[in-house]
C-alpha cells in the first residue's frame, strides 16, 4: 500500500505531458491500490482528455490487480473507495466507471450501494450488470427485489 507522498508522486506522473509516459504509469498502476482511487477519479472527471484516459486505465488496472486471488482485503479496500464514488454529487463519468469496476472487487459489502443504483435511471443498467457478476445470495436478492418493484 502506498503512502500519501507516493500517491502524490504517482498522480503527478499520470498527468505527465508525454502521452506514452502517462500510459506507462497507468499500465503499472495496479499496486497503487485503494489510496489512488479518489485522486484518480478527480483526473477522470477533468478537462484534459489524455490525462482522463490515463486515469481511467489506472483505475481499471487497480481494480483488476485488487481482484487477484488471495487479495481479499485489498479488494475490499478498493471496493469501499469505488462505492464512495457512486453518489449523485460525483460526475457521471466517475459514477459509471466506479459502478462497473465494482464487478471485479465488489462483494456483499458493495451490494447495498449497487441496489440503490438500480433506482437511478442513468446507472440502472450498469448497476444491474455489475450485480449479475457479483457472486452470492446478496446480489441475487437485490436483483430479485428490483425485479419485483
Amino acid at each position: 500500500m502506498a503512502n500519501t507522498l507516493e500517491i502524490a508522486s504517482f498522480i503527478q506522473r499520470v498527468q505527465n505531458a508525454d502521452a506514452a509516459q502517462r500510459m506507462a504509469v497507468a499500465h503499472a498502476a495496479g499496486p497503487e491500490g485503494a489510496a489512488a482511487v479518489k485522486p484518480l477519479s478527480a483526473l477522470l472527471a477533468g478537462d484534459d482528455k489524455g490525462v482522463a484516459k490515463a486515469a481511467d486505465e489506472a483505475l481499471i488496472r487497480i481494480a483488476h490487480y485488487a481482484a487477484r486471488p488471495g487479495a481479499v482485503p485489498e479488494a475490499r479496500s478498493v471496493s469501499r473507495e469505488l462505492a464512495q464514488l457512486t453518489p449523485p454529487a460525483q460526475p457521471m463519468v466517475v459514477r459509471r466507471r466506479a459502478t462497473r469496476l465494482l464487478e471485479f472487487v465488489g462483494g456483499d459489502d458493495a451490494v447495498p450501494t449497487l441496489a440503490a443504483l438500480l433506482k437511478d435511471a442513468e446507472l440502472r443498467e450498469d448497476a444491474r450488470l455489475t450485480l449479475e457478476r457479483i457472486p452470492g445470495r446478496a446480489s441475487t436478492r437485490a436483483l430479485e427485489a428490483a425485479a419485483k418493484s
Side-chain angles (χ1 to χ4, degrees), residues 72-85:
V72 174
E74 195 171 343
R76 284 188 185 131
S77 294
V78 172
S79 176
R80 275 192 300 273
E81 291 297 316
L82 290 170
Q84 291 177 11
L85 299 176

Side-chain angles (χ1 to χ4, degrees), residues 63-123:
H64 286 216
Y65 185 82
R68 72 193 186 282
V72 174
E74 195 171 343
R76 284 188 185 131
S77 294
V78 172
S79 176
R80 275 192 300 273
E81 291 297 316
L82 290 170
Q84 291 177 11
L85 299 176
T86 63
Q90 295 289 333
M92 183 53 68
V93 66
V94 171
R95 296 177 73 210
R96 179 161 279 123
R97 176 52 74 199
T99 300
R100 292 310 302 269
L101 289 177
L102 282 169
E103 73 185 55
F104 300 105
V105 292
D108 288 353
D109 57 319
V111 170
T113 298
L114 293 165
L117 292 176
L118 291 171
K119 297 174 184 163
D120 183 314
E122 293 178 298
L123 288 176

